[in-house]
Amino acid sequence: MAAGLLTAALRAFADAGAPKTPLYNLTLPVGWRDTPAAVAAVEWRRRAAVAAGLTHEVERLRLQWTADVGLPASRGRLTFAPASDEEFLRLFRRIAVGSLDDETRRNIAVKGAEATARDEMDFYLGCPGRREWWRVAHTPDGQVAGLALPSATPYARNVGYLGVVPEFRGHGYVDDLLTEITLIHAESGAELITATTDTGNAPMVAAFARADYRTSEIRMLYSAPVA
């Protein structure tokens, strides 16, 4: 019955001209795997989603930093500065290649790195956050290491987007970028900062843990495979 309902809903979206198949989103509490009833509830919904053709599964964490945990200490390894839209677009494109973020990888597979970068940048320009918060990170010898985009939702400040360029991955700069975003928000009075990441993006999950971001919610996302 559940598979039939999902199938009918997806068909209705397609008949109405939806540009792509909607995803199915399950919102779950932290630690749901420790509760047999919750495990069973997720399992029959997973089977229904797969039967309806939504075979791609991603587990996504919602995290938050609160002022009571204290400010992270800057390691001083990178310097941060504003930059033009053109430079940010170039960095979005470079960082997208090899990204561990599931949505970014799927978008690149469908439309390539250039269009993915443009869409990412347009999305963050349209968010409630301020453009003047955006920063490019530089190494001590002046090389560009990545970018840090503090942003906001209608409800709270959030991490937005951060990324390290391919040639500097593996140096731990993700911690510096996340610290910079946290400090920008906190120094302007934010007492709550939200963030999201996929559990498959292990380096980002670990960076959030080191920066005292706590998981507040889990989502299981089911979507159609990339054509």
Side-chain angles (χ1 to χ4, degrees):
M1 183 183 295
L5 289 170
L6 278 175
T7 300
L10 297 177
R11 186 181 302 117
F13 275 106
D15 292 344
K20 63 179 181 179
T21 304
L23 58 78
Y24 176 43
N25 181 356
L26 289 181
T27 301
L28 302 164
V30 177
W32 66 270
R33 288 184 172 88
D34 298 326
T35 306
V39 172
V42 170
E43 182 54 33
W44 69 258
R45 288 169 171 83
R46 177 187 287 118
R47 292 198 305 268
V50 171
L54 304 178
T55 57
H56 185 75
E57 180 185 72
V58 175
E59 182 175 6
R60 195 158 178 81
L61 306 179
R62 185 181 187 275
L63 307 109
Q64 62 182 33
W65 174 92
T66 51
D68 60 285
V69 304
L71 291 174
S74 174
R75 300 169 70 178
R77 300 191 302 167
L78 300 175
T79 57
F80 295 86
S84 67
D85 284 358
E86 291 74 19
E87 183 167 0
F88 276 111
L89 182 58
R90 286 195 296 271
L91 285 173
F92 269 110
R93 184 170 55 247
R94 292 175 64 192
I95 291 167
V97 177
S99 171
L100 297 178
D101 180 77
D102 182 78
E103 184 176 3
T104 299
R105 293 164 70 96
R106 284 163 62 86
N107 285 337
I108 288 178
V110 172
K111 54 192 175 186
E114 181 70 35
T116 296
R118 170 55 66 185
D119 288 348
E120 291 273 19
M121 184 161 172
D122 288 346
F123 172 80
Y124 287 104
L125 286 171
C127 286
R130 298 176 185 172
R131 171 63 178 80
E132 58 263 32
W133 293 342
W134 296 14
R135 297 288 185 270
V136 170
H138 297 88
T139 63
D141 61 356
Q143 298 184 72
V144 173
L147 56 77
L149 265 65
S151 190
T153 71
Y155 311 104
R157 300 288 184 90
N158 77 350
V159 168
Y161 186 99
L162 60 88
V164 178
V165 296
E167 59 268 33
F168 283 113
R169 287 171 183 159
H171 294 264
Y173 287 148
V174 63
D175 292 330
D176 304 75
L177 298 173
L178 181 55
T179 294
E180 179 70 9
I181 291 174
T182 305
L183 291 175
I184 287 174
H185 282 323
E187 288 169 0
S188 63
E191 296 189 354
L192 170 68
I193 306 170
T194 62
T196 59
T197 194
D198 303 333
T199 57
N201 190 346
M204 196 69 247
V205 173
F208 279 122
R210 289 190 294 270
D212 290 322
Y213 279 73
R214 307 167 193 161
T215 302
S216 59
E217 185 179 271
I218 297 172
R219 289 185 295 153
M220 302 297 292
L221 307 177
Y222 298 91
S223 58
V226 173

